[in-house]
Amino acid sequence: MEQLYGIFLYGVFLLTMGGIYAVLTLGLNIHWGFTGLFNAGVAGFFAIGAYTTAIVTSAASERHLGGFGLSPAAGMAAAMIASAIIAWGVGRICIRLRADYLAIATLGIAEIFRLVLKNEVWATNGPRGISLIPKPFEQYAEPWNHIGMLLLVIAVVAVLYVLLERARRSPWGRVMAAIRENEAAARAAGKNVERLRIEAFVLGGALMGLGGALMAHHIKFIEPNAAEPISATFLVWVMLVVGGSGNNRGAVFGAILIWTIWSAAEILIARLPPEWAVKSAYLRIFLVGLALQFILQRYPDGIFRERRFRTAPSTPNREQPP
Amino acid sequence: MIEFLNFYLIPGLVLGSIYALGAIGVTLTFGILRFANFAHGETMTLGAFIALSLASFTGWHPFAVLPLAMAFTALAVLGLDRLFFRPLRHGSTIILVIASFGLMLMVRSLVQLIWGAKLQSFGPGIQLPWVLFDALRIFPKHVTIVCSAVVLMLAAHLLLTRTRAGKAMRAMADSPDLARLTGIDTERVILTTWIVGAGLAAAAGVFLAYDTHVESQLGFKLLLPIFAAALLGGIGRPYGAMAGGLVIGLVEELSTYPWIGTDALVPPGYKTGVAFAIMVAILIWRPSGLFRGRVF
Amino acid sequence: MKRMMIAVAAGALALNGAAASAGDINVGSAAGVTGPIAELVVDIVAARNLAASHVNEQGGLLGGDTYRLVQGDSQCDPKAAVDAGAKLVNVEQAVAVIGPNCSGATNGMAQSVTIPAGVVMLSDTATAPSISDLDDNDLVFRVAPSDAYQGRSLAEHAWAQGYRKLAVTYANDDYNSGLAGVFASAFTELGGTITGNEAHEPNKASYRAELATLAAGEAEGLALFAYFGGSGITILRNSLENALFGKFLGADGMMDTSVIEQIGADNLRGNILLSQPASDTEGASYKAFAAAFENAGAPFVAHGYDIAFLAALAIEKAGSADRSMISAALRDVANAPGTVIRPGEWAKAKEAIAAGEDINYEGASGAIEFDENGDVAGTYSLNGVGDDGTWTPIE
């Protein structure tokens, strides 16, 4: 019985983390899936959101900027605003770059952000990070504290899902798809392509900031290592592409599926005999990589394909004939 | 002045030539296969470890086993291409990027499983430099590294300009559609691309390992500066990649020179940011890179 | 999706049922096995596992149960640490958690997993002062002293060795940046001069430029705070090869045999001083550990052994695998007074506990007396390279 309860609690943790990743993936879906913006700097917006809420909600400390004492809800709102502003700035500079170039530029910018967080110790406590970030529902006893957090995350994902589905079907969403498929035609139709792209970039950036803020509250601690590109950018990409880019349901599903594989693989690996010690951890990463290759080859268009308004010729960027 | 040469310019050149070798592979895969290969850093690591094993097995100098290590690495990469990239080649390129990310994880953990995560090195101890004119300090190992890098780059140059395969590669990088129309065998070009890119990456890994040490994250740590170098030179431009590598290596080192006053111009904590800042600046003001590469 | 989740849960349950057989007592062993300090963690994990095998070879826990360390990969990242902690505490039903490595990972895992679950966490490597601030219901312990101690101690040693002007460089990570800050201010308070104090980004191929800039301050030596693998060895090599610095001071993050292997004993002898928490590497506890573990001097390895052994002692003392009793039992077995137990002496400890005696574990890393925050005070020895080419204490 205790074991069942334990597995239930782990499931709560798993879904909370998967749900937070789903927020990031939904944000990325606005960039890549809807608009075709290859943003490889998810970690940057994630970090801005996480640090913003950490600074405005954590208690005063001589180690970092803080002591504003806002509630987590206000912190999350501030996180979204801060990342939206930064996304606007980055978008103004980089938005006209084509797909792969935008990717590398955003990757570089995210790394520069991370260096700033590490080096501007007066504000961020540098590599030591910000601790004691309040967590919603933490005053309740286990398991209600964890369940409360999970419900909050589910609610956020659900609201975002509904709103984004509406946006996708709205004229705005159709124009975005048009820009992605054929920029010249959209331009010819009198659309201000750059402005619309920046709008999408800002919206997606704000969601990534929200994801970062949720993560900061969930783990109650944030440091630059938490925003390194593997687990805060590439993993989100894997989730979106596996789930099916351009499809919000796919984005959410991909996030939860990949996070489950990433996390639960360790439970299997822990069954290996102790002689394997550190090797088992390497093996886990290997298996995760292998599982990813398998899914990519089995579902090259993602598990959920994009639902199009009408039959479109092909996926973006395809240059070679099938 | 002499300090500038000893501690900023020469190390910058050594680092730059290592970046350059790595960047050639990135730019070729980017130009010909159309995707940013995140597993390229891991190719370097693999090359360094293969050379380490060969050197300890045969007892030879690491540079003596280098050709063999390059060959083995190329072979391994061809195998990985066959298994993981070829089945996806006709889908959208983002799938290839994600597959290369998965491959990066797999190769690194495989390296850790086989060789472990601890530091190893070709030859322990330190090497004292030759001191010329009582001031200029030149390290034998740096001479070997830079010379070998130049030889390899020359070889790459000859391959690209003098051989059929090389010409086909350049044609593909310039304009894939046109190349296909003229009847170039795409799969063969891709094969050569992997061999050249992987061989040079292995060499870059061995050089870096020879200068410092080998460990499982050696290549990953180089990945971003190498992307920056490839981009700086212009995608699909091997010469651009060479120049870009040198520039990034030099600028990283020179950024900490006390140009103004006695403090480093850029605080060393931000040193890695310099490569990215240049990269972003280049992208914004001259997206075709120094050598007018392709803009997709 | 729902079916999938059920399948995953069922699978996990089946495996769990199979593995956690009646005779096992699970303790979570979280470590940053992959991630930025992978090379450092290999030996730490090996030392923890050595402690477990000592326990199991000498009679096991309680009525002969197997002491099982279940490994979790905290990746030196608080996100991964929370995930690993959730698995160890809930799925593996760990009685206590040892580790994780890195202060950030410790902070995250403690606050969002182990403290709410009422599980004791015992860290071997977390040195950040912020861990003392946690509102932890006496559930977070560490045997790695807060770096306030080590930085000050090293500064005093440096002063006593006659250093008056030093340059400081540190890897910009949670462990080394804190240490460097304390060292620099303590050394200045003593009257010394810091000619330059610069962070560097770890894992670069060369540090010649940074070192040349620091060397321009004409310091007598370089205080180098780094992990040996991330940047420490590279900086030593760059400095010596280019004659930028000849004398070095450092902390235990540098104390690995691979430093001597890579740089060469003759190049380092007389030129490098490293502080190490094990106050008496000549002491019986350290020697007992060193006899059993090959790379005993490596950073935090002794600490790794100690936490694994202490967790077992606490379970034995509590008399049952009951999470709620570990915290009190831990203080009991670690703090004086009592029969002194040293590394490897499980059978003796088991007997003493069975006889109702109070015991006092004197660890390989130090005496280990927990204060009210669950911290230990640090006393440090200075080490250099001895005639036999190993790290040796210096008077």
Side-chain angles (χ1 to χ4, degrees):
Chain A
M1 199 56 225
E2 230 170 59
Q3 287 202 344
L4 263 182
Y5 174 67
I7 287 170
F8 165 74
L9 272 187
Y10 168 61
V12 171
F13 268 97
L14 188 77
L15 285 176
T16 309
M17 205 69 116
I20 294 172
Y21 269 108
V23 174
L24 296 171
T25 315
L26 284 171
L28 185 62
N29 198 21
I30 301 177
H31 287 171
W32 174 249
F34 291 180
T35 326
L37 296 170
F38 196 160
N39 175 9
V42 180
F45 300 109
F46 171 89
I48 288 163
Y51 270 91
T52 306
T53 196
I55 287 171
V56 301
T57 61
S58 63
S61 159
E62 77 259 25
R63 299 199 179 97
H64 56 81
L65 208 60
F68 300 97
L70 297 187
S71 69
M76 286 181 224
M80 287 181 78
I81 294 167
S83 11
I85 293 170
I86 301 278
W88 181 79
V90 173
R92 280 297 301 257
I93 304 173
C94 308
I95 210 74
R96 58 193 174 77
L97 296 172
R98 293 303 303 141
D100 296 319
Y101 289 90
L102 182 66
I104 297 170
T106 44
L107 185 64
I109 290 172
E111 280 297 291
I112 293 173
F113 283 164
R114 200 157 69 91
L115 285 177
V116 172
L117 295 175
K118 268 178 124 171
N119 284 286
E120 300 310 314
V121 180
W122 57 274
T124 64
N125 198 20
R128 285 270 150 119
I130 297 178
S131 186
L132 300 172
I133 302 170
K135 181 172 181 174
F137 309 107
E138 64 182 328
Q139 65 276 30
Y140 298 103
E142 197 160 55
W144 301 109
N145 51 354
H146 301 314
I147 293 174
M149 185 71 203
L150 173 61
L151 291 178
L152 173 69
V153 170
I154 290 177
V156 169
V157 172
V159 168
L160 290 177
Y161 177 80
V162 170
L163 291 179
L164 289 177
E165 275 298 294
R166 280 197 168 181
R168 190 177 68 87
R169 292 203 196 93
S170 72
W172 185 82
R174 285 160 186 263
V175 175
M176 289 301 171
I179 292 173
R180 187 191 61 191
E181 298 297 332
N182 191 336
E183 187 184 331
R187 242 180 243 285
K191 303 292 175 195
N192 185 343
V193 171
E194 229 151 79
R195 192 198 142 96
L196 284 159
R197 276 212 178 119
I198 290 182
E199 279 175 20
F201 199 68
V202 167
L203 185 60
L207 291 198
M208 291 169 190
L210 177 61
L214 282 169
M215 187 70 87
H217 288 296
H218 177 50
I219 63 180
K220 291 181 61 64
F221 178 80
I222 190 72
E223 62 162 1
N225 269 358
E228 49 83 42
I230 297 251
S231 64
T233 296
F234 302 140
L235 196 59
V236 181
W237 267 98
V238 170
M239 289 164 172
L240 180 63
V241 169
V242 163
S245 61
N247 185 316
N248 287 321
R249 198 179 293 178
V252 174
F253 178 77
I256 289 167
L257 173 72
I258 293 293
W259 180 254
T260 306
I261 293 177
W262 184 265
S263 169
E266 193 164 31
I267 300 177
L268 305 180
I269 290 297
R271 307 289 152 230
L272 288 170
E275 299 86 78
W276 276 75
V278 295
K279 288 202 166 166
S280 60
Y282 310 145
L283 188 65
R284 166 199 179 199
I285 303 288
F286 181 82
L287 291 179
V288 168
L290 198 64
L292 174 61
Q293 302 289 3
F294 175 78
I295 298 175
L296 287 178
Q297 297 201 2
R298 178 77 183 69
Y299 300 100
D301 294 312
I303 294 172
F304 287 77
R305 303 183 67 149
E306 182 176 3
R307 281 170 296 170
R308 306 238 167 194
F309 306 105
R310 57 181 177 280
T311 350
S314 69
T315 31
N317 266 352
R318 173 182 283 193
E319 294 206 14
Q320 297 185 344
Chain B
M1 187 57 210
I2 199 73
E3 292 222 314
F4 178 75
L5 275 179
N6 278 340
F7 305 128
Y8 300 87
L9 197 64
I10 296 177
L13 272 177
V14 174
L15 195 59
S17 45
I18 293 172
Y19 284 168
L21 285 177
I24 296 175
V26 167
T27 209
L28 286 177
T29 25
F30 213 145
I32 290 167
L33 288 141
R34 301 273 171 283
F35 75 99
N37 180 13
F38 280 93
H40 196 72
E42 263 40 55
T43 311
M44 295 182 207
T45 317
L46 191 64
F49 271 105
I50 289 178
L52 184 77
S53 286
L54 287 173
S56 71
F57 183 67
T58 57
W60 297 349
H61 190 269
F63 282 69
V65 296
L66 181 64
L68 210 54
M70 288 168 69
F72 278 139
T73 312
L75 216 60
V77 168
L78 285 179
L80 293 174
D81 173 60
R82 178 70 194 77
L83 282 174
F84 300 115
F85 290 131
R86 205 163 116 189
L88 300 171
R89 206 162 281 155
H90 301 301
S92 68
T93 51
I94 184 69
I95 302 283
L96 284 169
V97 177
I98 300 295
S100 79
F101 169 71
L103 203 57
M104 172 181 91
L105 296 180
M106 288 169 70
V107 175
R108 188 191 311 163
S109 42
L110 208 59
V111 163
Q112 289 172 330
L113 275 170
I114 299 173
W115 285 283
K118 296 181 91 177
L119 293 183
Q120 301 177 50
S121 79
F122 282 115
I126 59 169
Q127 200 178 40
L128 291 178
W130 300 320
V131 180
L132 305 179
F133 315 114
D134 277 344
L136 195 60
R137 307 166 68 88
I138 308 274
F139 287 90
K141 63 180 180 188
H142 289 166
V143 176
T144 354
I145 289 173
V146 174
C147 289
S148 317
V150 170
V151 169
L152 284 172
M153 284 191 245
L154 270 178
H157 165 77
L158 290 178
L159 182 89
L160 287 169
T161 50
R162 300 289 160 81
T163 65
R164 261 189 86 77
K167 285 178 188 161
M169 277 167 74
R170 284 192 301 150
M172 278 277 285
D174 274 342
S175 164
D177 296 330
L178 210 60
R180 214 173 291 114
L181 280 179
T182 55
I184 289 174
D185 179 354
T186 336
E187 278 302 314
R188 266 192 69 164
V189 171
I190 290 175
L191 202 79
T192 348
T193 308
W194 282 122
I195 293 176
V196 174
L200 295 180
V206 173
F207 293 166
L208 182 63
Y210 183 62
D211 191 21
T212 57
H213 46 249
V214 204
E215 47 97 26
S216 56
Q217 299 186 59
L218 168 132
F220 179 64
K221 292 165 184 171
L222 292 188
L223 190 64
L224 289 179
I226 280 176
F227 273 178
L231 212 69
L232 185 62
I235 292 300
R237 298 282 164 198
Y239 308 119
M242 295 179 202
L246 281 175
V247 171
I248 297 282
L250 280 171
V251 172
E252 270 196 9
E253 295 295 312
L254 298 187
S255 67
T256 46
Y257 186 71
W259 295 99
I260 306 161
T262 55
D263 282 340
L265 180 69
V266 176
Y270 279 111
K271 186 177 164 188
T272 35
V274 175
F276 304 132
I278 299 174
M279 185 173 83
V280 173
I282 287 280
L283 282 169
I284 291 161
W285 283 292
R286 195 181 161 93
S288 54
L290 297 178
F291 284 68
R292 295 223 163 275
R294 281 171 57 84
V295 182
F296 296 110
Chain C
M1 188 173 98
K2 204 181 279 168
R3 238 184 308 161
M4 187 138 199
M5 293 309 296
I6 292 170
V8 167
L13 183 64
L15 276 161
N16 201 50
S21 54
D24 279 357
I25 293 180
N26 284 355
V27 164
S29 168
V33 185
T34 62
I37 58 164
E39 78 279 356
L40 206 72
V41 172
V42 177
D43 279 328
I44 297 176
V45 170
R48 290 182 189 170
N49 289 341
L50 176 70
S53 59
H54 281 168
V55 170
N56 289 327
E57 282 160 14
Q58 301 176 30
L61 286 170
L62 307 175
D65 292 336
T66 306
Y67 179 37
R68 184 162 168 269
L69 287 179
V70 189
Q71 188 178 297
D73 186 3
S74 56
Q75 296 174 9
C76 208
D77 171 346
K79 302 194 299 294
V82 168
D83 178 47
K87 279 174 277 193
L88 294 175
V89 167
N90 298 315
V91 180
E92 311 289 356
Q93 294 287 316
V95 181
V97 175
I98 60 173
N101 307 115
C102 300
S103 302
T106 308
N107 247 319
M109 194 197 279
Q111 292 187 75
S112 72
V113 184
T114 58
I115 297 175
V119 172
V120 164
M121 173 194 265
L122 181 54
S123 174
D124 44 6
T125 44
T127 54
S130 63
I131 291 177
S132 307
D133 304 349
L134 298 180
D135 182 12
D136 66 357
N137 308 320
D138 213 18
L139 289 168
V140 178
F141 294 84
R142 51 177 167 173
V143 299
S146 166
D147 46 31
Y149 295 104
Q150 179 161 207
R152 173 157 296 281
S153 155
L154 186 64
E156 283 162 5
H157 279 303
W159 183 262
Q161 294 279 330
Y163 287 106
R164 296 294 176 266
K165 266 174 89 176
L166 287 172
V168 178
T169 185
Y170 58 94
N172 211 353
D173 59 42
D174 55 353
Y175 169 68
N176 292 297
S177 64
L179 208 46
V182 176
F183 174 84
S185 58
F187 191 69
T188 319
E189 268 172 41
L190 288 168
T193 314
I194 300 288
T195 57
N197 185 356
E198 292 285 5
H200 63 262
E201 195 62 11
N203 302 326
K204 297 295 289 177
S206 153
Y207 293 97
R208 297 175 188 99
E210 288 93 326
L211 290 168
T213 308
L214 276 174
E218 294 180 349
E220 297 152 3
L222 178 68
L224 166 58
F225 298 96
Y227 291 124
F228 64 93
S231 55
I233 290 179
T234 311
I235 287 180
L236 285 179
R237 182 178 280 127
N238 289 166
S239 304
L240 288 169
E241 287 181 347
N242 294 296
L244 291 167
F245 288 98
K247 302 275 183 191
F248 304 93
L249 290 153
D252 50 350
M254 287 292 295
M255 227 176 103
D256 192 82
T257 45
S258 64
V259 174
I260 301 178
E261 280 164 26
Q262 301 272 327
I263 306 289
D266 295 334
N267 298 313
L268 290 173
R269 193 171 295 121
N271 294 332
I272 186 165
L273 292 171
L274 300 180
S275 63
Q276 194 207 22
S279 52
D280 49 350
T281 44
E282 295 298 298
S285 284
Y286 182 81
K287 281 187 169 162
F289 171 61
F293 194 80
E294 195 184 343
N295 199 4
F300 300 114
V301 164
H303 302 79
Y305 182 92
D306 286 348
I307 56 167
F309 205 81
L310 270 172
L313 285 173
I315 294 171
E316 189 74 24
K317 177 81 186 177
S320 82
D322 181 348
R323 287 174 176 177
S324 62
M325 295 165 71
I326 302 299
S327 169
L330 196 54
R331 273 178 203 282
D332 260 0
V333 294
N335 292 6
T339 313
V340 172
I341 300 294
R342 300 192 190 283
E345 300 182 336
W346 178 254
K348 181 179 168 191
K350 209 171 154 68
E351 238 169 71
I353 291 170
E357 286 173 45
D358 202 1
I359 62 168
N360 172 23
Y361 179 65
E362 297 276 322
S365 66
I368 310 187
E369 304 292 323
F370 292 117
D371 65 12
E372 71 274 18
N373 286 324
D375 293 346
V376 294
T379 41
Y380 296 86
S381 63
L382 266 195
N383 293 268
V385 178
D387 293 330
D388 58 349
T390 60
W391 293 112
T392 327
I394 284 175
E395 288 314 309

